């Protein structure tokens, strides 16, 4: 905790904010908890703290009173059955919860259409950006599935089959791109996710990204 306090002297390395994740916060010793309490009383303005605990009652009451409680629960048997027995892990995520979230959001249906149209011209990119604006689609919700699709292309370039429902589209894209092109695209999408919060015009950010996707 004291080492953490020393790092707050410096600005975030990238972006305008940073997140401090403290796993199993209830395992903090009393001296560590009291030291951390001082930080919570006057937190850095650019920092968000996330504390996880399966035993929040073991945290100091003064720490609990300064936190917003967000409960996480296990997936129900019905949800797990839907993911494991009914469907497939199309993006090789290995996480039933994440697979279920992607499936229920329906966002991949929009993204696969974008994936098929890349590379695209200025008119097409502008049209998609405007449509996303009208639908109030969060731009990061587009970047993430696109990143997963290009990751499947990367696997295909390494002759690793995903057996997903998007295999035909992924194979077609893999034939048209070099391995370096795929790696550069994944790096581009990763960078766009990181810089999105610092860009006031999300649609322009998306428009520029669409023009650069191969």
């Amino acid at each position: 905790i004291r080492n953490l306090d020393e790092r707050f002297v410096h600005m975030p390395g990238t972006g305008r904010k940073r997140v401090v994740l403290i796993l199993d916060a209830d395992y903090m010793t009393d001296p560590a908890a009291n030291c951390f309490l001082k930080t919570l009383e006057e937190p850095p303005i650019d920092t968000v703290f996330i504390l996880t605990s399966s035993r929040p009652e073991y945290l100091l009451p003064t720490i609990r009173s300064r936190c917003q409680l967000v409960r996480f629960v296990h997936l129900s048997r019905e949800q797990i059955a839907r993911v494991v027995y009914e469907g497939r892990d199309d993006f090789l995520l290995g996480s039933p919860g994440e697979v279920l979230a992607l499936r229920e959001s329906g966002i991949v249906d929009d993204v696969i259409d974008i994936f098929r149209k890349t590379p695209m011209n200025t008119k097409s990119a502008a049209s998609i950006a405007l449509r996303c604006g009208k639908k109030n689609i969060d731009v990061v919700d587009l970047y993430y599935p696109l990143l997963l699709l290009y990751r499947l292309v990367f696997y295909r370039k390494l002759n690793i089959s995903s057996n997903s429902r998007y295999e035909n589209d992924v194979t077609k894209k893999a034939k048209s791109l070099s391995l370096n092109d795929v790696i550069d695209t994944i790096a581009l999408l990763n960078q766009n996710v990181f810089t999105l919060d610092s860009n006031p015009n999300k649609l322009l950010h998306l428009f520029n990204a669409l023009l650069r996707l191969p």
Side-chain angles (χ1 to χ4, degrees):
I1 294 296
R2 290 190 177 90
N3 289 337
L4 188 63
D5 286 340
E6 292 177 2
R7 297 187 64 178
F8 293 147
V9 176
H10 307 285
M11 297 294 290
T14 58
R16 295 180 297 173
K17 291 188 178 293
R18 61 185 152 204
V19 176
V20 176
L21 177 61
I22 301 179
L23 301 175
D24 298 319
D26 51 89
Y27 281 94
M28 279 192 287
T29 62
D30 287 342
N34 285 311
C35 182
F36 181 61
L37 179 60
K38 296 177 182 177
T39 302
L40 282 184
E41 288 172 343
E42 297 181 9
I45 194 170
D46 56 6
T47 304
V48 175
F49 295 95
I50 299 177
L51 285 66
T52 71
S53 174
S54 58
R55 309 178 303 168
E57 66 275 8
Y58 282 80
L59 284 165
L60 289 180
T62 44
I63 289 181
R64 294 203 306 270
S65 66
R66 287 169 171 79
C67 296
Q68 178 183 352
L69 181 62
V70 179
R71 295 187 181 276
F72 289 86
V73 297
H74 295 292
L75 293 176
S76 67
R77 290 181 180 273
E78 291 76 15
Q79 289 175 312
I80 293 175
R82 288 173 58 191
V83 174
V84 176
Y85 301 109
E86 177 186 305
R88 295 179 299 186
D89 185 356
D90 288 313
F91 296 107
L92 304 181
L93 294 169
S95 167
E98 199 167 357
V99 171
L100 187 62
L102 273 175
R103 185 181 303 169
E104 292 183 343
S105 71
I107 192 67
V108 179
D109 293 334
D110 290 325
V111 170
I112 193 66
D113 183 57
I114 296 173
F115 181 73
R116 289 167 179 163
K117 291 179 178 177
T118 57
M120 60 181 63
N121 56 34
T122 302
K123 183 178 179 179
S124 298
S127 176
I128 290 174
L130 288 174
R131 188 168 73 243
C132 291
K134 291 179 180 178
K135 290 184 176 180
N136 291 320
I137 296 175
D138 193 338
V139 174
V140 74
D141 288 337
L142 294 179
Y143 284 157
Y144 181 55
L146 276 171
L147 181 60
L148 295 179
L149 284 165
Y150 279 99
R151 191 176 69 167
L152 290 181
V153 177
F154 174 74
Y155 291 152
R156 168 49 63 191
K157 296 296 290 185
L158 299 180
N159 294 319
I160 300 173
S161 175
S162 63
N163 294 319
S164 81
R165 69 189 70 185
Y166 312 112
E167 188 70 14
N168 288 338
D169 294 302
V170 166
T171 300
K172 183 178 179 181
K173 185 73 70 174
K175 289 180 179 178
S176 67
L177 300 177
S178 70
L179 183 59
N180 284 337
D181 287 336
V182 179
I183 293 173
D184 289 343
T185 303
I186 292 174
L188 167 68
L189 288 167
N190 266 315
Q191 183 64 22
N192 282 349
V193 171
F194 289 136
T195 59
L196 187 60
D197 283 341
S198 60
N199 195 307
N201 192 325
K202 302 294 189 293
L203 295 183
L204 182 59
H205 194 276
L206 174 62
F207 170 73
N208 289 327
L210 293 175
L211 287 178
R212 298 171 65 187
L213 293 178

